[in-house]
Amino acid sequence: MENDASRVRPTRTPEFEARLKQRYKSERRFRTVGLSAIVFSIAVLVFLLGSMTLNGIGGFQRVELSVPVDFTESGIAADPIAMQQPGALQSLEAQGLPAVIEFYAEQSLGAEAAKELDPNAWREVAAEIIADPSLLRSEITFDLAATPNLAAGFAGEGSQEMQALAEKLSSAGALSKNFDPGFLSRSDATNPQKVGIWGALKGSFLTMIVTLLLAFPIGVLAALYLEEYAPKNRWTDLIEVSINNLAAVPSIIFGLLGLAVFLWMFPSYRSAPLIGGMTLALMTMPVVVISGRNAIKAVPPSIRDGALAIGASQVQVVFHHVLPLALPGILTGTIIGMARALGETAPLLMIGMRAFVATPPDGFTSPATVLPVQIFLWSDEIDRGFVERTSAAIIVLLLFLLVMNGLAIYLRNKFEKKW
């Protein structure tokens, strides 16, 4: 064995040192560029979420007038049993509840300010009475919606007279901007003080159910057939190219297809979640097929060979061994496809889901709208109040997307750990 002293050490020439320094310099530069890209992406994300949050906070609030009402002197009576009947609202209206609210509003706010109380504010009072008839035996202060003009004056906009009135009422503690829980339980309206997101949220939920029920099983079965059963010839190559092209087709083309086919087949279901879900399923299915095929290809051939060696049939190999292994990857593609479908607006506009829907849909065939379309419609309004409502609706859409993706990721991880 040779001694260490006898070993030939490489000669570090000046050219070698220069190249080594240049390589280290390039590595540091690449590391700096990569870190800068990450920091820039995080900064943009924080700015986007921060601006949406700041603008959306006001969307979850509304300007309200405080109106004290003494029901002990109103002459309105309500039987707890009768309040559970369908005609309870009409009964309270017949007993003069709107006039009572108007009277006490004039008494506490003045005639000028009482005119700026929403004309349908008595319905909110009626809803609370129906929920708790014991309110008619006490004096209660209600926070009721103001008109859009007074709300604009409270925000420092509108006419000088309205701004002065809003400042006067605010100084007296009779006008304030409070959290509006009804924004999450009401539907669309022409008054920004009365709009809600529940109708669009329910429409999105129903539409996504139809999309998932159609796109997921059909896409997975198509991927299984193409990878495990279909012969490798020019026809399957043509089908593969067609599927890849469909995944890149603009979404509005699928809207035109839904308009030409689905509305022709079901003309009475225009703007229904059923038609919207079928249209979005066409758009989502190629993504599910492509991700499914890639996940199935990633399953080791030894799994198939081992299952066949112990006597399993082809169907057992596919559904008992290949599909469980490929399912996490398939769910990943499904998450991407469903997230894209949730944010789509163009295809749904083509099939008429931009209608003004004042009540939440009762089912898959009822007229409905979805969150992206609702956001689009509100952003086109001139009233300043709709700007805040639009930002609040965007926050709801993002939360809905996070919940949906979180559930899908949980299911993916569950299946992955199970195997």
Side-chain angles (χ1 to χ4, degrees):
M1 178 178 283
E2 299 179 355
N3 297 330
D4 293 340
S6 63
R7 293 178 180 176
V8 178
R9 298 180 180 275
T11 303
R12 300 173 68 94
T13 63
E15 293 79 4
F16 176 81
E17 294 289 345
R19 289 197 302 269
L20 188 63
K21 291 181 180 179
Q22 184 65 28
R23 186 177 67 181
Y24 288 158
K25 184 178 180 181
S26 300
E27 291 179 355
R28 288 194 299 269
R29 184 166 58 249
F30 177 77
R31 189 183 301 113
T32 302
V33 171
L35 182 60
S36 301
I38 295 176
V39 172
F40 177 76
S41 301
I42 294 176
V44 172
L45 179 61
V46 170
F47 174 77
L48 175 64
L49 295 179
S51 61
M52 282 299 161
T53 302
L54 292 177
N55 293 329
I57 289 177
F60 290 100
Q61 300 174 323
R62 71 173 182 179
V63 179
E64 298 176 331
L65 287 165
S66 298
V67 180
V69 180
D70 187 1
F71 285 113
T72 60
E73 299 180 357
S74 64
I76 299 178
D79 182 20
I81 299 178
M83 288 295 99
Q84 305 303 320
Q85 304 300 322
L89 181 65
Q90 290 76 10
S91 175
L92 292 173
E93 182 179 11
Q95 294 185 63
L97 181 60
V100 170
I101 301 301
E102 182 180 356
F103 171 78
Y104 281 104
E106 293 181 356
Q107 289 289 319
S108 59
L109 304 175
E112 183 182 4
K115 295 179 181 178
E116 300 304 323
L117 185 67
D118 186 83
N120 292 318
W122 68 273
R123 294 180 180 271
E124 300 180 20
V125 179
E128 296 192 29
I129 294 175
I130 293 173
D132 184 11
S134 64
L135 295 177
L136 294 176
R137 298 192 297 269
S138 59
E139 182 178 353
I140 304 294
T141 298
F142 296 95
D143 291 326
L144 304 176
T147 61
N149 291 333
L150 186 59
F154 183 82
E157 302 175 355
S159 63
Q160 295 293 331
E161 294 80 3
M162 200 57 62
Q163 293 184 32
L165 178 61
E167 183 177 358
K168 175 183 175 182
L169 293 172
S170 179
S171 301
L175 183 67
S176 59
K177 195 170 187 178
N178 305 318
F179 175 69
D180 180 22
F183 177 72
L184 300 175
S185 60
R186 295 189 300 263
S187 296
D188 198 7
T190 57
N191 183 351
Q193 290 279 93
K194 303 292 291 183
V195 298
I197 204 65
W198 172 240
L201 185 62
K202 187 176 181 181
S204 292
F205 181 71
L206 295 176
T207 303
M208 289 298 103
I209 289 178
V210 176
T211 302
L212 182 62
L213 292 179
L214 292 176
F216 183 73
I218 297 177
V220 172
L221 291 176
L224 286 173
Y225 176 78
L226 290 174
E227 287 300 320
E228 300 294 330
Y229 294 98
K232 304 302 179 181
N233 52 37
R234 60 181 180 180
W235 294 111
T236 54
D237 292 340
L238 180 62
I239 293 174
E240 182 177 356
V241 171
S242 300
I243 293 174
N244 292 334
N245 288 335
L246 283 175
V249 168
S251 60
I252 195 170
I253 304 300
F254 293 101
L256 292 172
L257 182 61
L259 178 64
V261 177
F262 297 141
L263 285 182
W264 174 75
M265 297 172 59
F266 308 102
S268 60
Y269 292 156
R270 187 179 184 87
S271 77
L274 177 63
I275 303 299
M278 294 168 66
T279 303
L280 293 180
L282 290 177
M283 184 188 69
T284 307
M285 205 177 303
V287 179
V288 178
V289 174
I290 293 173
S291 62
R293 295 189 65 185
N294 292 333
I296 294 170
K297 287 179 182 178
V299 177
S302 58
I303 298 294
R304 300 175 177 84
D305 297 338
L308 291 172
I310 61 175
S313 65
Q314 183 68 21
V315 174
Q316 290 175 327
V317 171
V318 170
F319 288 96
H320 294 178
H321 301 277
V322 176
L323 182 58
L325 270 179
L327 195 56
I330 294 174
L331 288 176
T332 301
T334 304
I335 292 171
I336 296 174
M338 294 295 293
R340 179 191 174 191
L342 179 62
E344 283 295 339
T345 304
L348 300 180
L349 292 176
M350 295 302 299
I351 63 171
M353 293 193 75
R354 60 166 297 161
F356 178 82
V357 182
T359 56
D362 297 328
F364 295 102
T365 58
S366 301
T369 187
V370 292
L371 281 171
V373 176
Q374 189 70 82
I375 293 170
F376 169 75
L377 295 176
W378 285 353
S379 65
D380 199 36
E381 296 287 342
I382 301 177
D383 197 318
R384 169 67 182 175
F386 281 103
V387 176
E388 294 181 338
R389 297 295 194 180
T390 300
S391 299
I394 293 175
I395 294 176
V396 174
L397 176 61
L398 291 176
L399 292 177
F400 185 38
L401 180 63
L402 289 176
V403 170
M404 187 181 70
N405 286 349
L407 178 61
I409 292 172
Y410 167 77
L411 294 175
R412 182 188 65 186
N413 294 337
K414 180 180 179 180
F415 282 110
E416 192 172 19
K417 293 177 182 178
K418 182 179 179 181
W419 180 261

